Amino acid sequence: MKILDAEFVKGFIRMANDGWEQGWHERNGGNLSYRIRPEEVESVKENFEPRAWTPIGTTVPALGGEYFLVTGSGKFFRNCIIDPADSMCVIELDKAGENYRIVWGLVNGGRPTSELPSHLMNHEGKFLIDPKYRVIYHAHTTNIIALTFVLPLDDAVFTRELWEMATECPVVFPDGVGVVPWMVPGGRDIAVATSELMKKYDLAVWAHHGMFAAGENFDITFGLMHTAEKSAEILVKVLSMRPDKLQTITVQNFRDLARDFNVTLPEKFLYEK
Ligand code: 13P
Ligand code: ZN
């Protein structure tokens, strides 16, 4: 099968374009990766032409031998839909999970996203907890970024504020949201900090930068990013009108919601204000 005809590639491109249309991917901002299923690898293998092995910059032993579809470093999300072979690539990891090689894509040169260490460490953490996780998504979500200038950089505060802004939020991300303080992007240190949070959460905020989301498929992962960012937008609007809320969703309301929707909300987020 031609690789661009594969459903997982079409789904990846659609998600990249959806993110572009949301305004989360100025220039080359953001990156996306998908852990390809073995049968999907088999179905497109005829397109592969392996290049040189390159160090990942971190080690992900649990992912040795896996293949990923990844956006390219410096590539623009808005171009994924018109020139996917220039904008993204398939990489294969070696058995030790120390090196990768490009086997398809980036036809005009380049390398996978500079955030590859964060993507792969997040994938590894999620894979070890639940192998159903396949998508890691980094976006420069405007309103979440704005909130990192005015809210304490604290998991409990971000989670509770986002939960309060839209009734669906505690149901969509009942485990909450983690917050990484400002760190230099692109390296192993921020990858370690993010992947630690991703053991507990499916969402991690990067202060003054953006957000990471993890999920089982493109719809769930995009929907998670979209829901959190929309909630942040509502909070930005509320704070722009006045500094306090006249009324909100209460702790008792959250408990009632959790009971009826059959979700467990950690007590650490249900503090009295
Ligand atoms: P890349 O172009 O290397 O993917 O970097 C974009 C980005 O958002 C870095 O955090
Ligand atoms: Zn970024």
Side-chain angles (χ1 to χ4, degrees), residues 105-126:
L106 289 176
V107 289
N108 298 307
R111 59 188 177 94
T113 172
S114 58
E115 305 294 0
L116 192 64
S118 280
H119 278 259
L120 293 181
M121 290 194 80
N122 288 342
H123 274 293
E124 185 182 51
K126 286 300 188 193

Side-chain angles (χ1 to χ4, degrees), residues 151-172:
L151 291 184
L153 300 176
D154 177 83
D155 299 7
V157 173
F158 261 81
T159 299
R160 180 64 176 276
E161 291 301 320
L162 292 178
W163 279 4
E164 279 187 38
M165 287 303 115
T167 298
E168 68 184 312
C169 285
V171 180
V172 176

Side-chain angles (χ1 to χ4, degrees), residues 25-32 71-77 111-116 119 138-140 185-186 206 209 212:
H25 300 288
E26 75 292 341
R27 204 174 181 279
N28 63 309
N31 20 77
L32 176 62
T71 49
S73 185
K75 299 295 182 180
F76 295 16
F77 266 51
R111 59 188 177 94
T113 172
S114 58
E115 305 294 0
L116 192 64
H119 278 259
H138 168 54
H140 292 179
W206 277 9
H209 185 145
F212 265 82

